[in-house]
Amino acid sequence: MEDYDYLFKIVLIGNAGVGKTCLVRRFTQGLFPPGQGATIGVDFMIKTVEIKGVKVKPFSRLLLFAGNKIDLADKREVHRQRAEEFAEAQSMLYLETSAKESDNVEKLFLDLACELIREAKQNTLDNNDSTPMPGEGKNINYLSCCSIN
């Protein structure tokens, strides 16, 4: 039997050099790799955490928008207020981190895991009334967000 209650896969998306790999390494391994080269392709790491008695492998939807490298304030390209406004407009939580200084890294992943657990429990409660048979899921309109001319 597996040693966790929930397994979430998290995808970090961002421009090259923003610190995605450093954030994940700081969280999963507790270290900051100085001189971290560019990661090409996919890097996969796992860490099990326990939140209120629930074991979670937080690695599904991205609900958290993070600004990394706050230790480099003099090189900041996006003002905090603008980032917060963007996150709010996209219905995302916003958090600023520093993988180098380990500021808010644990909080980033634990907040995300808490939100994913909350959503998973809510979906479980919603789906108990009428669990569809295999092949009887909800129809998804993939074009609902786009306009085609």
Side-chain angles (χ1 to χ4, degrees):
M1 178 149 197
E2 299 293 337
D3 63 340
Y4 55 87
D5 298 301
Y6 292 97
L7 171 65
F8 299 112
K9 295 177 183 175
I10 298 171
V11 178
L12 298 181
I13 300 171
N15 290 342
V18 298
K20 298 176 297 293
T21 300
C22 290
L23 275 173
V24 174
R25 289 230 170 133
R26 174 62 81 177
F27 177 68
T28 59
Q29 301 169 347
L31 57 90
F32 177 80
Q36 170 70 41
T39 306
I40 298 174
V42 175
D43 201 356
F44 183 77
M45 296 178 207
I46 295 176
K47 178 176 179 176
T48 302
V49 296
E50 189 167 325
I51 299 171
K52 295 182 181 177
V54 177
K55 289 186 181 177
V56 181
K57 285 192 178 181
F59 275 83
S60 351
R61 189 171 42 182
L62 183 62
L63 305 168
L64 210 143
F65 178 58
N68 192 30
K69 298 188 179 186
I70 58 172
D71 54 291
L72 300 176
D74 57 324
K75 295 182 180 179
R76 186 177 195 119
E77 294 183 16
V78 179
H79 293 287
R80 180 182 184 117
Q81 182 177 352
R82 182 159 185 193
E84 288 173 343
E85 289 169 357
F86 173 80
E88 185 177 336
Q90 302 301 317
S91 300
M92 294 181 187
L93 302 173
Y94 178 70
L95 186 64
E96 293 190 336
T97 64
S98 170
K100 182 177 183 181
E101 301 297 325
S102 194
D103 293 337
N104 286 334
V105 175
E106 287 279 321
K107 181 171 176 38
L108 171 75
F109 289 98
L110 295 179
D111 283 359
L112 185 53
C114 286
E115 185 63 23
L116 290 169
I117 289 169
R118 188 191 63 72
E119 264 198 21
K121 286 182 176 181
Q122 183 65 40
N123 287 339
T124 300
L125 293 174
D126 289 346
N127 291 334
N128 279 343
D129 293 335
S130 59
T131 304
M133 295 298 289
E136 293 182 346
K138 294 180 181 177
N139 290 331
I140 300 172
N141 183 354
Y142 292 101
L143 299 177
S144 65
C145 66
C146 309
S147 61
I148 300 176
N149 296 329

